[in-house]
Amino acid sequence: MPIEFTHVPGKTADAAIPFFYDFAETATKLGLIEDGGFQKIVVDDSAGLLTNMDLAAQVLDRTASLEVVLTHWAGVVEPTVAARQLASMDRKSGGRLALRMISEPLNDDDAESRPAGHGVIWQRIDEYLVLLKRLWSNDRPFDHEGAFYSIKGGYVPRKGPHGADLTIRMGGQSGTALKVAGRHADVFELAPGSIDDVRQLMERVRSAAAEHGRAGKLRFALPVRIHQGASATGHKAVDLSGPPAQVALSLLAYAGLGIDEFMIVGVDTPREIATAGRETIALLRNSLARREHDVFQPGAYAPRTGLETLAAR
């Protein structure tokens, strides 16, 4: 499949205004994102889980083709309620919703529902996802008694177009996180790092997925920050700077590892969005097209000396 590009909204450095603060202005940006070569957009506003769900619904209403990657976490909404709401959003959008499960709430108010202990957090995520998938697929009500959730007569009468196959995105680096991601994730969001760091993490993720017979079903996404202007965000990403041709060459090196998607951070103003689409994304797609008949060996295209590919916030 061709490389895909996902827009990760941040905050503008001059006013620290959230991307979704003024939705009239956001609608203009969404049009530029949709027309500029991006296939997806992440919704992860710091206002909290319920706000994110409202924002995702608005983005789906205002766009025609963008997949909306909704940042979500367990503990705030009961699985039955969440399953109904998510299925409804996916159904109304024609199947353009993806669920991005994270372990830590984005909002301090939501943090009150966080269980203590790293392993316990991931156990709850695992049970939560098992229940969502069951609710999206079962044709009759069911009961469930688990470590974190109790359900009586759980049932979602109106399923989404994907049923239990709605895209799940996850990340993490610990053995516990990879074990859960290996069971559930369709897209794994990699931690930023050097070519070797990323390659090693991909191998660990594939091994975890192989335990569930899913090694060949995973796609990999890498967050990348492009330094073009004054935008600033708190997202962790591989830092790339220089002319668009240099940035595209660095991305080509990571694509050679088998990465399927680049999550572009740091392009939030209309000018930055348009430039990223017209130059960086177009250059990378053209480079990949020229090599489509070549044997694409992992790691074969190392970045040239002088390119900045340091992992940073």
Side-chain angles (χ1 to χ4, degrees):
M1 295 179 67
I3 295 288
E4 295 186 318
F5 295 87
T6 299
H7 185 271
V8 183
K11 296 179 180 179
T12 53
D14 54 351
I17 299 174
F19 184 87
F20 297 105
Y21 179 77
D22 181 347
F23 218 87
E25 180 180 346
T26 299
T28 300
K29 294 180 181 179
L30 289 173
L32 291 170
I33 291 168
E34 198 163 21
D35 295 338
F38 291 90
Q39 287 76 41
K40 308 172 185 179
I41 183 170
V42 171
V43 175
D44 65 346
D45 193 274
S46 60
L49 182 144
L50 297 179
T51 298
N52 276 333
M53 295 181 77
D54 290 340
L55 290 173
Q58 292 185 62
V59 174
L60 288 166
D61 286 342
R62 300 291 185 93
T63 56
S65 62
L66 282 179
E67 177 180 297
V68 173
V69 178
L70 170 61
T71 304
H72 194 77
W73 51 94
V76 179
V77 181
E78 288 298 311
T80 303
V81 176
R84 288 196 185 110
Q85 293 177 335
L86 295 169
S88 176
M89 291 171 61
D90 196 36
R91 186 174 63 252
K92 290 178 180 178
S93 69
R96 291 189 290 123
L97 182 69
L99 196 62
R100 179 177 183 248
M101 292 298 301
I102 61 174
S103 60
E104 296 292 324
L106 295 172
N107 182 280
D108 289 339
D109 293 335
D110 291 343
E112 296 178 1
S113 62
R114 177 174 45 198
H118 178 78
V120 177
I121 289 173
W122 283 100
Q123 288 171 18
R124 183 171 71 173
I125 292 172
D126 181 49
E127 184 178 343
Y128 186 79
L129 288 174
V130 167
L131 288 171
L132 287 185
K133 292 178 180 180
R134 192 173 176 187
L135 287 160
W136 288 332
S137 60
N138 273 37
D139 58 3
R140 63 185 64 186
F142 67 90
D143 297 338
H144 168 84
E145 287 293 338
F148 303 95
Y149 298 104
S150 176
I151 294 177
K152 299 295 183 182
Y155 182 59
V156 175
R158 300 188 66 190
K159 318 294 186 187
H162 294 113
D165 294 326
L166 187 145
T167 298
I168 303 295
R169 303 170 63 104
M170 303 180 77
Q173 292 180 275
S174 71
T176 303
L178 297 191
K179 181 178 180 180
V180 178
R183 182 180 184 185
H184 295 290
D186 302 295
V187 176
F188 188 89
E189 297 182 4
L190 295 154
S194 67
I195 294 287
D196 286 339
D197 291 336
V198 172
R199 180 191 294 110
Q200 291 171 16
L201 180 55
M202 291 173 71
E203 291 172 354
R204 292 179 62 208
V205 176
R206 288 193 182 104
S207 294
E211 295 181 8
H212 302 278
R214 305 183 66 249
K217 297 180 180 180
L218 270 175
R219 290 170 57 82
F220 291 95
L222 180 70
V224 176
R225 178 178 291 105
I226 298 176
H227 294 280
Q228 291 184 323
S231 288
T233 75
H235 294 280
K236 292 181 179 180
V238 172
D239 274 342
L240 300 177
S241 62
Q246 283 188 325
V247 173
L249 182 62
S250 292
L251 293 177
L252 189 64
Y254 281 100
L257 297 176
I259 288 171
D260 307 281
E261 173 190 336
F262 290 113
M263 303 173 68
I264 306 298
V265 179
V267 290
D268 291 311
T269 68
R271 180 178 179 180
E272 291 168 349
I273 294 168
T275 300
R278 184 176 62 250
E279 297 181 358
T280 304
I281 291 177
L283 281 168
L284 178 59
R285 285 205 169 118
N286 290 339
S287 297
L288 289 171
R290 286 195 298 268
R291 296 181 177 183
E292 65 181 355
H293 298 299
D294 296 337
V295 177
F296 214 69
Q297 296 293 336
Y301 307 108
R304 292 178 183 173
T305 303
L307 293 182
E308 298 181 48
T309 56
L310 297 176
R313 289 187 70 85

